[in-house]
Amino acid sequence: MTTATSLISTLPGRFYTDPEIFRSEQERIFESLWYCAVRSADLDRPGAFRTVQAGRENVLVTRTRTGELRAFLNVCRHRGARLCTESAGEVRRNLQCPYHAWTYGLDGTLVAAPNLQKMPDIDRTEYGLVKVALREWLGYAWICLADEPPSFEDTVIGAVVERLGDTVTIERYETEGLTLGRRISYDVAANWKLIVENFMECYHCATIHPELTDVLPEFADGLAAQYYVGHGAEFSEEAQGFTVDGSAGFGRLPGITDAQDRRYFAVTIRPQVFVNLVPDHVIVHRMFPLAEDRTVVECDWLYAPGVVASGADLDKSVELFHRVNVQDFDACERTQPAMASRAYRKGGVLVPAEHHIGAFHGWVTEMLGKGSEQRNP
Ligand code: FES
Ligand code: FE
């Protein structure tokens, strides 16, 4: 006797195309949760700043005179001009608004404004830049725009522990101390959820990732992500390292145990970070969802400081995951137009190996406050 297996539906197509749903995601997801903004070492000296888009807000991150990182809304308190118009830069002492020259310290305090002496006494702290919560972890500055940020320990660190299992700790890779070897930014014409869903499943690996499945043969089986919790995926016997042609990589990072050696681990940290861990490097993806059909993904390849300082050729090491990225993002871009098709009005289906994507969809609809009746009108 055979029994029919019922497949789970995906989200309907409009979740990937509707600007209203995207606006709601900006508010309830990207402006409510911890959001990985910048790599701390990119702000290597006092006066350095970066700006990033987080939900509907543009956020300014600065390195202060005393060496801390601070985050603010990138909005001048006078008449609202964008304070820093560049995505990165460095100032000698203060940040000056290009409109009427109000001037702020790197800690956000209003320090000067033309003709301020003719104005009534104004509180320079009250009219300073609006602060945004900031935490540093894994060598990155994470910001949170919520009035009351959720627990970082529970929602970020706890999620990583849950997804790696107790035996593998991300701390052993000592990501904070690694050096940026390469950074590639991908401008992807796809909704951010297509990118998350793609990262969460390996059902596509055998079809689109020949180089990756050569190094990680188990990936050709298309097993679900949960299968790898605690033990990761083993390198093939022929692979000497995690490189595009299986040639040797670099020495393993000092904290890596035998149990972590020759293995690949991956974690999705909701809502916008993916971390890939291999014995000799760490790859961190940060997604910046800019519109319902556009997401910029910034990918960092991080190595032991000595490897980068030695001028070692990183190309074969970087090329493996760069190809994976291009293969994945091409697939996402091929999928995005179909989200508006009548064929996808009620969504598609998830095969058993993708059932954890159903949990992601449940999380998204819960965050948006949408019940199943709204999900399937
Ligand atoms: Fe910035 Fe006027 S808007 S100084
Ligand atoms: Fe992939």
Side-chain angles (χ1 to χ4, degrees):
M1 194 177 82
T2 53
T3 47
T5 314
S6 63
L7 298 172
I8 299 176
S9 303
T10 68
L11 292 173
R14 67 191 171 84
F15 273 75
Y16 304 83
T17 58
D18 183 344
E20 262 313 299
I21 291 180
F22 182 69
R23 202 207 56 76
S24 221
E25 289 170 345
Q26 289 181 307
E27 181 188 334
R28 296 179 179 219
I29 296 177
F30 306 121
E31 295 168 26
S32 298
L33 301 175
W34 287 99
Y35 187 90
C36 190
V38 302
R39 185 168 142 72
S40 305
D42 288 339
L43 303 171
D44 54 350
R45 41 192 163 173
F49 70 84
R50 296 252 162 174
T51 59
V52 293
Q53 195 64 27
R56 293 162 298 177
E57 298 285 1
N58 196 263
V59 176
L60 167 66
V61 183
T62 65
R63 175 79 66 188
T64 68
R65 295 274 133 217
T66 44
E68 299 94 32
L69 291 181
R70 292 273 183 270
F72 310 98
L73 299 184
N74 188 14
V75 173
C76 177
R77 296 298 304 282
H78 173 224
R79 296 243 315 282
R82 182 168 284 195
L83 184 63
C84 294
T85 51
E86 305 291 321
S87 61
E90 194 174 323
V91 293
R92 223 162 54 84
R93 187 145 220 101
N94 297 311
L95 299 153
Q96 190 173 67
C97 177
Y99 197 177
H100 314 88
W102 277 35
T103 304
Y104 302 89
L106 292 160
D107 63 355
T109 317
L110 176 64
V111 294
N115 302 327
L116 197 59
Q117 63 279 16
K118 293 187 193 143
M119 298 206 295
D121 230 8
I122 72 163
D123 181 330
R124 287 167 186 241
T125 308
E126 190 187 334
Y127 288 94
L129 300 176
V130 176
K131 285 196 170 68
V132 173
L134 183 146
R135 278 281 303 259
E136 284 182 81
W137 191 55
L138 301 181
Y140 286 81
W142 304 65
I143 56 168
C144 184
L145 289 156
D147 292 335
E148 288 179 27
S151 155
F152 191 87
E153 280 65 27
D154 293 347
T155 59
V156 180
I157 301 175
V160 172
V161 172
E162 187 185 317
R163 280 161 211 158
L164 281 181
D166 290 340
T167 50
V168 183
T169 69
I170 200 164
E171 270 74 26
R172 293 215 184 94
Y173 294 83
E174 297 171 4
T175 309
E176 287 85 351
L178 301 182
T179 300
L180 184 69
R182 192 77 53 87
R183 170 172 292 160
I184 301 178
S185 190
Y186 305 84
D187 199 336
V188 187
N191 184 274
W192 68 280
K193 296 189 294 298
L194 290 180
I195 298 174
V196 174
E197 292 159 14
N198 173 81
F199 192 79
M200 289 172 75
E201 53 96 353
C202 208
Y203 190 41
H204 67 267
C205 292
T207 331
I208 69 172
H209 295 319
E211 301 86 357
L212 184 67
T213 49
D214 270 355
V215 176
L216 304 174
E218 284 174 90
F219 272 15
D221 299 334
L223 295 165
Q226 293 100 320
Y227 170 81
Y228 297 101
V229 170
H231 55 81
E234 197 170 11
F235 290 6
S236 75
E237 271 175 35
E238 300 79 52
Q240 292 176 271
F242 194 74
T243 56
V244 71
D245 56 1
S247 58
F250 306 102
R252 75 186 199 192
L253 297 168
I256 301 307
T257 60
D258 288 345
Q260 279 166 292
D261 198 12
R262 295 186 56 77
R263 283 176 180 274
Y264 162 96
F265 299 87
V267 202
T268 304
I269 308 175
R270 289 172 189 166
Q272 44 86 255
V273 179
F274 312 130
V275 184
N276 301 275
L277 304 158
V278 287
D280 63 339
H281 64 285
V282 172
I283 305 166
V284 178
H285 294 74
R286 280 167 292 147
M287 289 197 303
F288 297 93
L290 300 182
E292 62 279 5
D293 56 359
R294 183 177 172 215
T295 309
V296 167
V297 185
E298 201 156 273
C299 185
D300 290 346
W301 281 260
L302 307 168
Y303 296 87
V307 168
V308 178
S310 72
D313 184 352
L314 304 176
D315 285 355
K316 285 189 172 166
S317 177
V318 170
E319 182 66 18
L320 176 53
F321 226 86
H322 170 59
R323 282 199 201 176
V324 169
N325 285 338
V326 170
Q327 291 154 350
D328 280 334
F329 301 150
D330 280 353
C332 294
E333 289 190 340
R334 276 198 303 280
T335 308
Q336 179 66 29
M339 297 296 104
S341 162
R342 280 175 291 172
Y344 218 72
R345 201 174 275 157
K346 291 185 177 166
V349 292
L350 297 170
V351 303
E354 300 171 301
H355 279 200
H356 54 295
I357 296 177
F360 170 65
H361 292 161
W363 175 80
V364 170
T365 49
E366 190 185 318
M367 293 301 286
L368 298 183
K370 288 192 185 300
S372 54
E373 69 293 346
Q374 283 160 293
R375 193 175 143 172
N376 299 306

